[in-house]
Amino acid sequence: MNVMSSLLIIGFVWPEPNSSAAGGRMMQLISLFQEQDYKITFASPAQDSDFMVDLSQYEVEKVAIALNNSSFDEFIRELQPTVVLFDRFMMEEQFGWRVAENCPDALRILDTEDLHCLRLARQKAFKKKREFQISDLLTEEVAKREIASILRCDLSLMISEYEMELLTNVFKIDKSLLYYLPLLLESNALPDLEKLSSFEERKDFVFIGNFYHEPNWNAVQYLKEKIWPLIKKQMPEAVLNIYGAYPSQKVLQLNNVKEGFLIHGRAEKAQEVVQKARMVLAPLRFGAGIKGKLLEAMECGTPSVTTSIGAESMLGNFPWNGFVEDNPEFFAEKAVQLYQEKEIWLQAQKNGVAIMNQRYLRKLFEDDFAKQIAFLLSNIKQHRLNNFMGELLQHHTMKSTKYMSKWIEEKNK
């Protein structure tokens, strides 16, 4: 690999690995490229945040960029990156045409995080109190934007096999444009179950999740209204500790000491909180991607009860790290059983380690990912010729988005 290879990441936000799985995911991608000797620049139009990571500590250059501003063109012309990574499709929409115009030879990669159109279509179906249908995706406004973005890029990184199937079967996206790269764990992240707190040493239930994320807020409401009262009926002494970054006033108002329903806000050290708990509850009713909170539970040797949306694409053919239940009565029943029965709890813990071992270890993916990037860089012309729909969309987007953006820029003057 030429030492001078460079990567430009265009971030939707500055990475906050302690606030969300998305922040952790971004740091993993940075590390994968650094291993291939890439010099990395991270650019974003986002405001700085109190909890963002100090990129300079990771030898990543931080650059603030502006939306709808030709200053970006000068910046990228000078940088001439080998690879450009868009963090979510909205960044590709804003900057993709500028990258294509000023650095036509740069490999363009989209990190989808999760399929936004799937999450939104499920959320809308849920709010309308009806079952989600696959056909909902075809009428979802965001799908038209997101799929166009996937087609315009040379490669899209997917964290969920289920979403890859949707893209190939429903939207007829060619497999050569998609690459499966889930959340990754270092080998030393696998827990030594002997050294972790024992069943007896742990207590209480825990829920953890960033409250900016609508599925998390909805899950906490569901716990409060439906599931927690059922658990309390069987276990009057039970306590549920709820942690999450960015809790709003409506989240904080749910705190009720008498009910053992405790809202704590941001966890200083999420892993410590999860390791002390006997169990994680994650009754997610809509969403997409794979769930960082459930992978973290496995890392902490903490069994979980979740829904089929929560466990989607996470377990492969392995038994879950606890139970998967969609019915609230069964969910509560399994939560109580897992909390009280040591043998079942210990088996759930082992199941979690097996899932991590077979599906999430970084060493299972890193070499193949490096080969994939190298292959695309050396075959970029042919790869794009094979993706005519992408080239067609690039052509039209360049015309429409380009002039819209220039109009906004003039207006802003």
Side-chain angles (χ1 to χ4, degrees), residues 63-284:
V63 178
I65 51 176
L67 296 170
N68 302 308
N69 196 306
S70 50
S71 59
F72 178 84
D73 303 348
E74 291 158 41
F75 159 70
I76 196 166
R77 267 201 301 272
E78 200 172 306
L79 191 66
Q80 284 298 320
T82 320
V83 180
V84 177
L85 177 80
F86 302 102
D87 167 27
R88 295 166 246 212
F89 80 91
M90 300 79 95
M91 291 296 97
E92 189 281 333
E93 278 186 332
Q94 286 285 348
F95 295 100
W97 67 271
R98 292 185 186 272
V99 172
E101 196 169 73
N102 293 290
C103 300
D105 297 332
L107 183 68
R108 299 188 296 272
I109 301 177
L110 172 65
D111 185 38
T112 55
E113 294 289 355
D114 62 15
L115 214 47
H116 291 59
C117 60
L118 174 63
R119 173 156 43 87
L120 289 169
R122 279 176 168 166
Q123 191 170 321
K124 285 175 186 172
F126 173 80
K127 299 227 156 136
K128 288 175 181 163
K129 297 186 168 53
R130 64 171 180 78
E131 285 288 305
F132 162 74
Q133 312 283 335
I134 294 294
S135 58
D136 293 343
L137 287 171
L138 300 170
T139 55
E140 172 52 55
E141 183 70 20
V142 166
K144 297 176 179 75
R145 295 169 53 198
E146 192 167 22
I147 300 305
S149 186
I150 288 169
L151 283 166
R152 284 190 299 261
C153 288
D154 300 310
L155 193 68
S156 287
L157 306 180
M158 308 298 301
I159 61 172
S160 155
E161 293 148 316
Y162 173 70
E163 291 174 12
M164 287 185 73
E165 281 169 32
L166 279 183
L167 289 173
T168 51
N169 298 336
V170 180
F171 295 107
K172 312 296 185 226
I173 303 274
D174 195 277
K175 284 190 171 75
S176 68
L177 298 177
L178 306 174
Y179 188 83
Y180 175 60
L181 190 69
L183 300 174
L184 302 177
L185 299 173
E186 302 294 341
S187 298
N188 62 7
L190 289 184
D192 178 345
L193 298 181
E194 300 297 314
K195 290 184 179 162
L196 287 175
S197 302
S198 67
F199 176 82
E200 289 80 11
E201 286 166 333
R202 294 168 178 250
K203 66 180 185 46
D204 302 340
F205 295 88
V206 70
F207 172 90
I208 195 159
N210 186 325
F211 286 111
Y212 268 166
H213 197 53
E214 182 74 22
N216 288 336
W217 158 236
N218 181 271
V220 170
Q221 284 175 295
Y222 188 35
L223 277 165
K224 175 80 172 178
E225 292 159 17
K226 197 90 185 168
I227 292 171
W228 191 242
L230 294 169
I231 292 174
K232 279 297 265 189
K233 209 173 181 173
Q234 295 179 64
M235 295 175 60
E237 301 304 307
V239 172
L240 171 58
N241 293 301
I242 292 174
Y243 290 89
Y246 304 108
S248 64
Q249 201 44 49
K250 61 185 180 179
V251 177
L252 297 170
Q253 278 171 352
L254 297 181
N255 186 62
N256 188 319
V257 177
K258 208 168 88 204
E259 289 173 10
F261 197 91
L262 308 178
I263 309 276
H264 299 278
R266 180 185 288 272
E268 280 305 305
K269 292 184 176 149
Q271 289 228 345
E272 270 180 28
V273 163
V274 179
Q275 254 167 28
K276 285 180 186 159
R278 193 176 287 179
M279 250 184 74
V280 167
L281 299 178
L284 299 156

Side-chain angles (χ1 to χ4, degrees), residues 67-71 73-74 97-98 401-413:
L67 296 170
N68 302 308
N69 196 306
S70 50
S71 59
D73 303 348
E74 291 158 41
W97 67 271
R98 292 185 186 272
T401 316
K402 175 178 175 175
Y403 292 108
M404 180 66 168
S405 186
K406 287 191 178 303
W407 178 79
I408 293 170
E409 187 176 1
E410 283 305 313
K411 199 163 148 279
N412 289 343
K413 283 177 184 172

